[in-house]
Amino acid sequence: LYIIGSRLRQEDFPPRIVEHPSDLIVSKGEPATLNCKAEGRPTPTIEWYKGGERVETDKDDPRSHRMLLPSGSLFFLRIVHGRKSRPDEGIYVCVARNYLGEAVSHNASLEVASK
């Protein structure tokens, strides 16, 4: 594979997901983690999507209750769930990208346990 003018090195490879997130059932106010680990060279960037929309984390907003861990996992300091607003419940995927392509994880549902 030779692309003129690109610095594609043979040891570079597109991302692949090596750990997929699992479905979670969590209590309101509790912490939770959706796992995601990807390989690739160069190291892929990880983004999370819920219902097709990108999930904002502490990198976007320092006050966010969701943190992107160095491994690529999504950590919730506490699950937010009210009568009107249920910002954390839904179907999540993680997407790993580098210049060679992207990989999308399996769907994982995050459900809030009813008392």
Side-chain angles (χ1 to χ4, degrees):
L1 183 60
Y2 181 70
I3 301 171
I4 296 167
S6 106
R7 292 180 321 215
L8 179 58
R9 301 192 309 280
Q10 285 198 301
E11 62 269 25
D12 283 0
F13 60 96
R16 59 173 175 254
I17 308 282
V18 291
E19 187 180 347
H20 291 267
S22 311
D23 294 348
L24 283 183
I25 298 178
V26 246
S27 300
K28 186 175 92 174
E30 292 294 308
T33 306
L34 285 167
N35 290 326
C36 179
K37 210 175 269 169
E39 285 176 351
R41 187 173 296 149
T43 304
T45 58
I46 301 276
E47 286 184 334
W48 283 87
Y49 291 82
K50 186 188 95 167
E53 301 210 350
R54 202 169 78 79
V55 173
E56 290 207 353
T57 60
D58 56 322
K59 289 186 169 59
D60 307 301
D61 177 1
R63 294 163 313 185
S64 174
H65 68 291
R66 303 181 193 101
M67 296 170 67
L68 185 62
L69 301 182
S71 65
S73 296
L74 182 63
F75 176 67
F76 299 81
L77 293 166
R78 63 191 176 281
I79 292 298
V80 176
H81 193 77
R83 274 204 298 269
K84 296 211 170 76
S85 164
R86 303 180 168 189
D88 294 332
E89 204 165 54
I91 306 286
Y92 289 81
V93 294
C94 81
V95 180
R97 289 190 183 92
N98 69 14
Y99 79 97
L100 285 168
E102 65 175 44
V104 181
S105 74
H106 302 153
N107 286 354
S109 68
L110 190 151
E111 230 179 288
V112 179
S114 45
K115 289 278 178 281

